[in-house]
Amino acid sequence: MASFGNLSDRLSATFKNLRGKGKLTPADVDGTVREIRRALLDADVALEVVKDFTARVRDRALGDEVSKALNPAQQVVQIVNDELVTILGGEQRRLQFAKTGPTVIMLAGLQGAGKTTLAGKLAKWLAKDNHTPLLVAADLQRPNAVTQLQVVGEQAGVPVYAPEPGNGKGNPVKVAKDAMKFARDKQYDIVIVDTAGRLGVDAELMKQASDIRRAIDPDEVLFVIDAMIGQDAVQTAKAFQDGVDFTAVVLSKLDGDARGGAALSVASVTGRPIIFASTGEGLDDFEPFYPDRMASRILDLGDILTLIEQAQQNFDEDEAAKVAQKFATDTFTLEDFLAQMQQLKNMGSIKGMLGMLPGARGMREQLDNFDEREITRTEAIIQSMTPQERRVPKVLNGSRRLRIARGAGTTVTEVNGLVNRFEQAAKMMKTVAKGGMPQVQGMGPIPGGSFGGGRPKVQAKKKSKSGNPAKRAAENAALAAGTPAKPAASGSAFGAAGKKSAPSEEELASLQKFLGR
Amino acid sequence: MAERTNSWSLGTALRGMFARKTIDEQTWTDLEDALLSADFGPDIADAVVTDLRAKVDRYRTTDPTDLQRMLRETLEERFTRLDSTLHLSNRPAVVLVVGVNGVGKTTTIGKFAKFLTNYGRTVVVGAADTFRAAAVEQLATWAERGGASIVRPQQQGQDPASVAFQTVERAQRDGIEIVLIDTAGRLQTKSGLMDELGKIRRVIEKQEPIAEVLLVLDATTGQNGLAQAEAFIQHAGVTGLVLTKLDGSAKGGFVLAVQEKTGIPIKLVGQGEGIGDLTGFTPHVFVQNLVG
């Protein structure tokens, strides 16, 4: 979920101009509003929504609350943020489950919005929460949509109810109806009905969708919409609202670089909340949608909450404790280094994570230069070593290095680079673990700089330094672990934080605020 | 609900405006709004409005009908700047079809195969989308409808480049005139997948020069279409655009921006779910539909 980038770039450029000013003239406000308008249009936010939005921002910016505020520019940012959250649907909403019997979820949307894939993701996500979902193949229109759903169901480990072969044959309303009976008999607690993609203007197919809806009386009708959609989002959303009256929206393909204006448009025009976002091709690339976090992200206030959650979900605390112990006793080996790196990979795209840090947007170019495959290469080098070499890097002589380089399909220079980085890291770890301060200035020469993305992480961590000396030492350890080779970075950083019990919602919120400003 | 006929036209938005008696400030605001909601994007909308303002000044007209005509001419002129002919003179002529997920690549191939067989050409399609579940079956159904033969991957998850290779090989062996290769949908931000396209290209070029690389764009896409086009041009060497789903309520105005910024012409347009709903791109008709 890291896509509103371009929109935030434009907005932050606009706000930068405002930030220095002590007082705002109407002309300042007008200029800003014009920039916001253009930025939003470029991000494919629907025209009527843009007009509405800019009018409201303008009114509030010229009102009392701003002129009396200590820092007017800051106030404008706050207003834009408020309005964005309001448009995106205010509070985050959860899926509504039925009180009795199976909960019925129906999916609808344009062709190619990603309904079938989403059905699989949703089913897998629900199954993880100990639900027993059943997928129903009611898309009998598109060639082999039924087969696709069966494959997706198999990947998700969820049963699929598909009595009809599809390809234009069979009656989807009947399939949906039968599925309900089937689910009740077999005690499935959630039924997910995949329907055919249809255009908003296709009256016949729209009627079919509403017939299905009437037949199964779903608890949720999810409207799946492509994050890349343009001005047409409004027409389409309205047509679907009139046709099937969906209860919530799912934003798909948010992993592209679309600026996601559709999110704003649809939520604002239909008044229905966005509850999920689909962020990749894997069945696990699926997450609840948080309006407030999305607004923060648009405004470049970072998305620390999601970042921390992701880290907590994927990070193994025991492993982190063990690593910390190893640092202290000077037994940190290349094997541990490799393990850390692999753990980090589990957390998903590094670029995505860095993108969530406040202010990281400004470093987009550096982020783009950062090659995620660098990790894979490093992994290959370590994996080409013998166990002894991994444990005692000192034995690596010229001929061994040559062999490793050949094995990893790289050059001796790269192997040397890795070994040097590792040694420096280990040395620094030792200092820190013994209670010393790492040479902060010394970070420059450390080849960690070769990872383009290293800097944002370091900066953010600096800000979060604790006032408590003991805690700070731990944080520094984490920080320093990160610097030499970024992979290890967030690994131990989050490990250190994760040792405490999970931070409360308030703590996270205040952290977000603290880092954001 | 929008009416089915002519629903993808700017016409509805513009009708009120052209029905006015004179051209005033309101007309310009309306025009800009209409262009923006047709996905032309702020840059093109600005350019068109400025251009028209200048023309209106020059000809000293106050009649909105003149403005309508000028708008049509301006857009048409912009669309015709590039040559939209498909070059399929090689034998076999290899066409690679690329695009992001869900824009209608497979459907377009089916329709394109039909389009070509109507002209008496023999066609083979290669199912190089080995990633998405059941994509091969979907293509097979379309190929059958379009009267083309198909080359399937021999096993699940086979390297798409090898399927492409086999398809071209088959065409050379059996003397089939046109080869259409379907690829998996990929978002332009996934660099690994984009590199894969480059590989498919290289592998095909070992046997035959590639006649056309068609990028399929969904008319409902907004300004992101430009980013898509740029990435695909860089990695796959796109030579033409196909605009699909024009039968919906979307107008696809962003293609003008794509065409102007990248210099790649629109070559085909898809207007429905029927197998015959694919036509060559004619600027005159397109603009006529757009402006009304």
Side-chain angles (χ1 to χ4, degrees):
Chain A
M1 203 154 100
S3 58
F4 283 69
N6 295 319
L7 178 53
S8 19
D9 282 350
R10 306 238 0 202
L11 287 182
S12 31
T14 312
F15 292 138
K16 206 174 278 167
N17 297 335
L18 275 187
R19 269 183 189 136
K21 302 206 168 159
K23 205 173 172 199
L24 295 185
T25 63
D28 287 337
V29 172
D30 278 341
T32 309
V33 167
R34 237 192 329 273
E35 260 315 302
I36 294 177
R37 173 187 141 98
R38 216 182 156 78
L40 292 175
L41 280 174
D42 253 344
D44 287 323
V45 179
L47 185 63
E48 51 182 289
V49 179
V50 174
K51 284 187 166 168
D52 221 36
F53 183 84
T54 46
R56 268 206 309 273
V57 170
R58 190 171 181 280
D59 281 354
R60 285 187 59 183
L62 290 174
D64 268 0
E65 58 177 323
V66 173
S67 53
K68 285 188 183 144
L70 228 52
N71 183 345
Q74 195 67 57
Q75 196 67 32
V76 173
V77 178
Q78 191 57 47
I79 291 171
V80 174
N81 189 29
D82 285 356
E83 293 289 336
L84 279 176
V85 175
T86 316
I87 286 193
L88 286 167
E91 288 289 290
Q92 190 235 342
R93 205 193 101 188
R94 284 168 201 283
L95 213 53
Q96 302 283 327
F97 293 104
K99 289 199 179 68
T100 56
T103 303
V104 184
I105 301 171
M106 175 178 163
L107 303 177
L110 292 175
Q111 289 103 332
K115 287 177 297 303
T116 308
T117 312
L118 187 96
K121 291 181 180 181
L122 184 60
K124 189 165 185 198
W125 189 75
L126 288 166
K128 219 164 43 188
D129 278 355
N130 293 327
H131 287 289
T132 50
L134 173 72
L135 288 167
V136 179
D139 178 357
L140 307 177
Q141 201 79 23
R142 182 163 60 96
N144 293 92
V146 176
T147 326
Q148 191 191 348
L149 189 69
Q150 275 162 342
V151 177
V152 166
E154 199 179 303
Q155 286 168 355
V158 171
V160 177
Y161 180 73
E164 298 280 355
N167 295 355
K169 293 188 204 75
N171 178 359
V173 182
K174 186 167 175 302
V175 169
K177 232 185 211 161
D178 293 349
M180 295 302 298
K181 189 169 172 320
F182 181 81
R184 250 178 238 120
D185 289 350
K186 302 271 178 195
Q187 306 255 316
Y188 288 106
D189 73 344
I190 293 176
V191 181
I192 301 169
V193 183
D194 179 30
T195 67
R198 61 205 78 224
L199 291 167
V201 292
D202 191 333
E204 195 183 316
L205 273 171
M206 213 41 131
K207 184 168 176 308
Q208 185 202 71
S210 77
D211 285 347
I212 297 179
R213 180 179 177 145
R214 254 199 306 282
I216 58 176
D217 186 25
D219 300 282
E220 288 277 10
V221 181
L222 302 183
F223 175 51
V224 184
I225 192 162
D226 189 328
M228 292 181 290
I229 195 169
Q231 297 290 333
D232 191 46
V234 175
Q235 306 296 337
T236 306
K238 275 188 191 152
F240 272 86
Q241 194 171 25
D242 294 344
V244 285
D245 191 21
F246 51 89
T247 58
V249 181
V250 179
L251 211 54
S252 68
K253 301 183 207 168
L254 207 47
D255 51 333
D257 54 5
R259 305 175 201 181
L264 290 170
S265 316
V266 174
S268 146
V269 169
T270 64
R272 298 281 186 266
I274 302 169
I275 60 173
F276 291 112
S278 164
T279 55
E281 302 198 48
L283 282 182
D284 293 316
D285 300 329
F286 177 77
E287 52 192 60
F289 182 88
Y290 300 95
D292 44 345
R293 297 184 192 179
M294 189 58 90
S296 301
R297 206 179 289 183
I298 293 174
L299 291 179
D300 197 18
L301 299 179
D303 188 6
I304 295 292
L305 293 175
T306 306
L307 182 60
I308 291 177
E309 269 177 19
Q310 254 180 29
Q312 277 177 343
Q313 226 175 46
N314 294 297
F315 204 80
D316 186 342
E317 286 180 24
D318 296 342
E319 187 64 27
K322 241 184 271 167
V323 169
Q325 181 62 32
K326 281 186 168 157
F327 278 142
T329 55
D330 195 17
T331 51
F332 185 68
T333 66
L334 277 165
E335 272 173 340
D336 304 319
F337 191 55
L338 180 66
Q340 283 234 313
M341 218 178 295
Q342 279 160 346
Q343 203 169 27
L344 186 84
K345 259 175 129 185
N346 291 338
M347 282 201 246
S349 146
I350 295 179
K351 271 186 207 170
M353 291 202 311
L354 289 175
M356 290 181 204
L357 286 170
R361 288 285 173 219
M363 308 195 186
R364 164 104 13 73
E365 245 166 67
Q366 275 153 299
L367 280 182
D368 283 344
N369 290 336
F370 172 64
D371 189 351
E372 304 220 341
R373 282 170 297 185
E374 187 70 35
I375 299 185
T376 319
R377 272 179 227 130
T378 311
E379 232 176 52
I381 296 179
I382 299 183
Q383 276 163 346
S384 303
M385 297 179 182
T386 64
Q388 194 213 352
E389 285 164 351
R390 294 184 207 179
R391 270 173 229 139
V392 195
K394 282 195 188 96
V395 303
L396 288 169
N397 57 21
S399 106
R400 280 175 190 263
R401 289 183 192 209
L402 187 63
R403 191 203 76 238
I404 292 164
R406 276 216 209 99
T410 166
T411 59
V412 177
T413 327
E414 293 217 14
V415 178
N416 289 342
L418 172 70
V419 175
N420 286 343
R421 275 204 303 273
F422 172 76
E423 274 169 2
Q424 294 201 23
K427 205 185 286 169
M428 199 154 73
M429 285 308 89
K430 216 164 72 183
T431 333
V432 174
K434 284 180 181 157
M437 277 291 282
Q439 295 171 298
V440 178
Q441 301 94 318
M443 281 180 186
I446 291 171
S450 67
F451 295 99
R455 274 154 63 189
K457 184 135 285 176
V458 175
Q459 279 199 349
K461 286 297 144 209
K462 263 190 214 154
K463 281 188 213 155
S464 73
K465 254 182 209 165
S466 167
N468 173 344
K471 233 168 148 188
R472 188 191 307 160
E475 275 170 3
N476 276 335
L479 167 62
T483 333
K486 220 176 66 292
S490 31
S492 39
F494 292 117
K499 265 183 265 173
K500 298 174 281 181
S501 58
S504 72
E505 195 70 13
E506 281 161 37
E507 274 172 359
L508 289 180
S510 65
L511 174 62
Q512 165 124 331
K513 210 170 235 165
F514 178 57
L515 289 168
R517 295 296 136 86
Chain B
M1 206 176 301
E3 73 275 54
R4 174 114 217 195
T5 51
N6 209 15
S7 55
W8 65 276
S9 122
L10 262 182
T12 347
L14 293 173
R15 203 165 296 143
M17 177 182 128
F18 293 137
R20 287 162 169 277
K21 284 206 181 66
T22 59
I23 300 172
D24 52 20
E25 271 312 303
Q26 189 60 37
T27 315
W28 295 114
T29 320
D30 287 350
L31 178 63
E32 195 187 351
D33 285 0
L35 290 172
L36 285 174
S37 35
D39 279 324
F40 278 94
D43 293 338
I44 297 271
D46 267 4
V48 170
V49 171
T50 318
D51 185 31
L52 287 176
R53 264 178 192 267
K55 277 190 185 161
V56 166
D57 275 356
R58 191 167 347 126
Y59 297 113
R60 296 179 196 285
T61 176
T62 51
D63 186 358
T65 338
D66 283 341
L67 180 62
Q68 185 179 17
R69 195 178 29 93
M70 284 186 225
L71 173 64
R72 214 180 292 147
E73 282 166 7
T74 307
L75 290 177
E76 209 175 306
E77 187 214 331
R78 280 169 175 256
F79 273 116
T80 35
R81 271 180 210 159
L82 299 168
D83 175 22
S84 62
T85 338
L86 279 162
H87 299 281
L88 300 172
S89 42
N90 296 4
R91 287 296 171 264
V94 183
V95 180
L96 191 62
V97 179
V98 300
V100 301
N101 316 60
V103 287
K105 285 179 297 302
T106 309
T107 311
T108 300
I109 289 191
K111 293 185 198 168
F112 194 29
K114 179 75 182 173
F115 182 82
L116 293 166
T117 48
N118 279 349
Y119 286 97
R121 299 274 169 267
T122 48
V123 180
V124 61
V125 299
D129 180 355
T130 53
F131 181 82
R132 202 195 65 190
V136 175
E137 285 77 9
Q138 191 189 346
L139 183 67
T141 312
W142 274 112
E144 196 185 310
R145 290 186 196 167
S149 50
I150 180 170
V151 173
R152 294 163 181 269
Q154 284 147 335
Q155 66 228 19
Q156 193 76 41
Q158 188 182 339
D159 185 343
S162 83
V163 180
F165 187 88
Q166 284 163 354
T167 315
V168 178
E169 206 173 45
R170 161 98 167 263
Q172 287 172 332
R173 199 177 57 228
D174 299 353
I176 297 171
E177 291 165 296
I178 314 247
V179 181
L180 304 179
I181 293 170
D182 187 21
T183 61
R186 59 204 76 220
L187 289 175
Q188 69 276 18
T189 48
K190 304 279 158 77
S191 66
L193 285 171
M194 295 304 281
D195 290 348
E196 184 188 274
L197 270 186
K199 177 177 173 190
I200 297 177
R201 225 189 119 85
R202 285 195 303 277
V203 167
I204 297 174
E205 274 171 346
K206 280 187 185 150
Q207 299 166 295
E208 282 292 333
I210 294 183
E212 292 275 0
V213 178
L214 298 179
L215 170 65
V216 183
L217 294 168
D218 182 336
T220 52
T221 310
Q223 301 308 307
N224 187 244
L226 198 58
Q228 290 175 19
E230 275 164 1
F232 277 98
I233 288 165
Q234 192 195 338
H235 289 90
V238 175
T239 59
L241 308 173
V242 181
L243 192 61
T244 59
K245 304 191 196 170
L246 268 177
D247 49 334
S249 43
K251 288 111 189 161
F254 73 96
V255 286
L256 183 57
V258 172
Q259 180 168 319
E260 291 197 349
K261 289 232 171 87
T262 63
I264 306 287
I266 307 162
K267 298 204 165 169
L268 293 166
V269 287
Q271 295 174 320
E273 291 181 83
I275 189 138
D277 299 331
L278 184 82
T279 54
F281 176 73
T282 30
H284 183 71
V285 179
F286 188 81
V287 171
Q288 188 68 41
N289 280 333
L290 207 59
V291 179

